[in-house]
Amino acid sequence: MNLRNILLFAALACGLASPAAWAGKSLTHAVHVGPYRVERDVKPGRNKVVGTLSNTGRVRVHTAKVSFRLYDAKGRAIGRASDQVHNLKPGQTWKFHALARGNVSRARLLKVEAE
């Protein structure tokens, strides 16, 4: 086993390479993004990414932010969208509405930040 594999194994064992570690979770509070979707507005180009984010931890989240990459019908990246909330209590769920300008067909979660 080479040094690279040993370090990767150690990171996995510590939880450092898990998706949760890279999704903005910390030791003091945890957030979880539920299902999300692109909602189209009746006016062209005025869409939004809607979904939920929950505080699954034991302490208040002072600020939480979700960021998305936006794609058109041909799969081309056409922009980003984000939304944020303040003072999310333990056990509380927030419904986000990230403004998604353009002809958006789908969105992919880029990151979740929580402080």
Side-chain angles (χ1 to χ4, degrees):
M1 188 179 265
N2 64 25
L3 181 61
R4 181 176 170 211
N5 288 341
I6 292 169
L7 291 174
L8 179 60
F9 179 75
L12 287 170
C14 293
L16 296 176
S18 72
W22 295 105
K25 286 192 177 185
S26 73
L27 296 175
T28 58
H29 47 262
V31 293
H32 172 75
V33 176
Y36 58 88
R37 67 186 182 284
V38 174
E39 274 189 6
R40 293 183 176 258
D41 196 315
V42 292
K43 294 183 180 180
R46 292 190 58 189
N47 307 304
K48 55 189 166 186
V49 181
V50 298
T52 60
L53 178 133
S54 301
N55 179 353
T56 58
R58 292 191 228 170
V59 298
R60 178 184 307 260
V61 173
H62 296 288
T63 304
K65 181 177 180 179
V66 291
S67 300
F68 298 89
R69 167 92 53 207
L70 306 174
Y71 297 90
D72 66 10
K74 294 183 179 182
R76 294 180 295 219
I78 58 171
R80 293 183 182 204
S82 63
D83 198 3
Q84 66 181 13
V85 65
H86 301 283
N87 297 318
L88 193 64
K89 296 176 186 173
Q92 189 175 11
T93 297
W94 163 60
K95 186 172 182 181
F96 57 81
H97 301 270
L99 185 60
R101 296 195 183 275
N103 192 12
V104 180
S105 290
R106 68 179 182 89
R108 181 177 57 91
L109 182 65
L110 282 176
K111 65 181 174 178
V112 178
E113 298 172 87
E115 317 178 336

